[in-house]
Amino acid sequence: MHDSLPRWFAHRGGGSLAPENTLAGIHLAASLGFRAVEFDVMLSRDGTPILIHDETLERTTNGVGQVCESTDAQLFSLNAGHGERIPRFSEAAALCRQYGLLANVEIKPASGHEIRTAEIVASLTAEYWHGADVPPLLSSFSLDALAVARDVAPQIRRGVLYESVPAGWLEDIRYLQAFSLHCDAVQLTDATLADCRQQGVPVLCYTVNVPEMAEMLFRRGVSALFTDRLDLFSPETTAYKSLQSDG
Ligand code: G3P
Ligand code: MG
């Protein structure tokens, strides 16, 4: 557990109840009492940071092709689900600040665009959250991106993001002067958890949509979870809704 972290992050903005990585999702997360959201940020061809997960448009929009080869004009004319537009990073940041949500900004560079994406996203994160009561958390699977974030915006906390935690995770954390370790819940070992606890590194796990698994992870000492199932979990308790209503 870590005192400065909410227990739950709405994954990809609003989980599976709203189109992923949209402003509607962030509104929904806030309305359901979530205090933290995670979303993915990538650059358009024009260098504008936008919320989207995939390098290609097909899965989450009615567009086709590569995000990094699409202009702003093309991207902002698309339907990202239920009539939602792909949001600009600036819009998501403003909404998080309005609601006082902790934003986990995942730097999600298209392959080969790691450095430029991190430069832009990290510097804008520092600008958008300047003086904020609830400071954001930057994370990325790209260690190169996190190294840029460390240099561009050292004051913004960083989380190192892994699928499976490698043996050299502590060296990564030290090199990147990172605050937290984020990993795939099913790949987290007790040995890693014990080492993280000893080093004072909070562990955040994605993506947990099953109540029994959430209970187990909190019991094992995980600090926070990313979930798509905003309807299942009570944001500020470790319990899931059916347990809470029982008690
Ligand atoms: O940041 C946690 C999680 O979002 C990482 O996986 O693929 O959903 O971005 P992905
Ligand atoms: Mg993500």
Side-chain angles (χ1 to χ4, degrees), residues 11-12 38-40 53 106 108:
H11 184 229
R12 301 186 190 176
E38 181 266 1
F39 50 79
D40 308 294
H53 180 276
E106 185 187 332
K108 188 74 105 180

Side-chain angles (χ1 to χ4, degrees), residues 7 20 23 49 131 177 179 222-223 241:
R7 300 278 81 87
E20 69 177 52
L23 299 182
Q177 296 162 25
F179 162 75
V222 169
S223 290
K241 282 185 173 169

Side-chain angles (χ1 to χ4, degrees), residues 40-45 48-50 52-57 65-70 75 106-118 121 140-142 144-145:
D40 308 294
V41 182
M42 196 179 293
L43 298 184
S44 71
R45 190 171 102 183
T48 302
I50 58 166
I52 196 157
H53 180 276
D54 297 2
E55 291 195 31
T56 50
L57 292 162
Q66 299 284 323
V67 174
C68 68
E69 291 171 4
S70 303
L75 292 169
E106 185 187 332
I107 305 171
K108 188 74 105 180
S111 182
H113 297 255
E114 288 78 7
I115 304 303
R116 183 154 177 260
T117 306
V121 175
S140 188
F141 285 109
S142 166
D144 290 341

